[in-house]
Amino acid sequence: PYVERIQRGLQVVKQHLGDKSSISTLVFGDLHLDHIKEWRDMTLSPLGYKLEYPLWKVDYDILMADLEKSQVPCVLSGSTVNCLTVGALFTRQLYEQAPLLNVDGFGERGEFHSLAQVWQVTRPIALSVTTTQLQKGCT
């Protein structure tokens, strides 16, 4: 079950970090499916963590522009749609063609999953943070 997998994952993180682990918040990338958010809130709140949804209801065009600005390559890691190939890059072109395929632009209905390869770019680039901002302590 989902909740048990979440708990096991948190246990692994706590074991790995030891005394340094202080997990207080679980963060989800849900975009707009109310029933999924409601289910998460109802099911995971009893675990005692704060639940955050930083992308909730953010306009898709803003999300796509931010993703492009980050320069983080995203690869399709799973798909339930024959014309979307696992391993293909998630690009603006795919995002714009998605409605023609009856697919949500970000795969929000489970049509595809993607892996953001954050390790492919530096942290300042991924976060669009300038060197001056980093020196001032802004991250």
Side-chain angles (χ1 to χ4, degrees):
Y2 183 77
V3 175
E4 288 179 25
R5 287 183 292 182
I6 293 286
Q7 289 174 312
R8 281 187 288 188
L10 291 168
Q11 196 65 24
V12 168
V13 171
K14 289 176 182 179
Q15 288 172 350
H16 179 73
L17 295 177
D19 291 337
K20 296 182 282 186
S21 70
S22 178
I23 301 169
S24 61
T25 306
L26 302 179
V27 180
F28 299 94
D30 296 306
L31 302 177
H32 64 79
L33 297 179
D34 292 314
H35 68 283
I36 299 293
K37 183 180 180 300
E38 290 168 7
W39 181 86
R40 285 194 205 282
D41 289 344
M42 182 182 68
T43 305
L44 299 176
S45 289
L47 297 180
Y49 298 97
K50 181 179 176 185
L51 306 180
E52 290 191 15
Y53 304 87
L55 304 177
W56 188 249
K57 303 286 185 180
V58 175
D59 182 84
Y60 273 20
D61 290 330
I62 292 170
L63 289 175
M64 191 67 217
D66 192 50
L67 181 60
E68 288 176 320
K69 187 176 179 183
S70 77
Q71 300 179 36
V72 172
C74 295
V75 177
L76 298 187
S77 57
S79 174
T80 61
V81 181
N82 290 335
C83 58
L84 298 178
T85 306
V86 171
L89 281 176
F90 177 76
T91 61
R92 177 170 289 278
Q93 181 180 6
L94 188 150
Y95 163 73
E96 289 175 348
Q97 289 177 346
L100 302 173
L101 304 171
N102 196 27
V103 171
D104 181 84
F106 280 90
E108 184 74 344
R109 297 185 307 253
E111 303 97 320
F112 64 88
H113 297 282
S114 58
L115 172 65
Q117 297 177 331
V118 296
W119 59 89
Q120 297 289 341
V121 298
T122 64
R123 184 176 180 192
I125 290 173
L127 298 174
S128 302
V129 177
T130 66
T131 305
T132 305
Q133 288 172 312
L134 284 176
Q135 290 170 346
K136 290 180 181 177
C138 300
T139 56

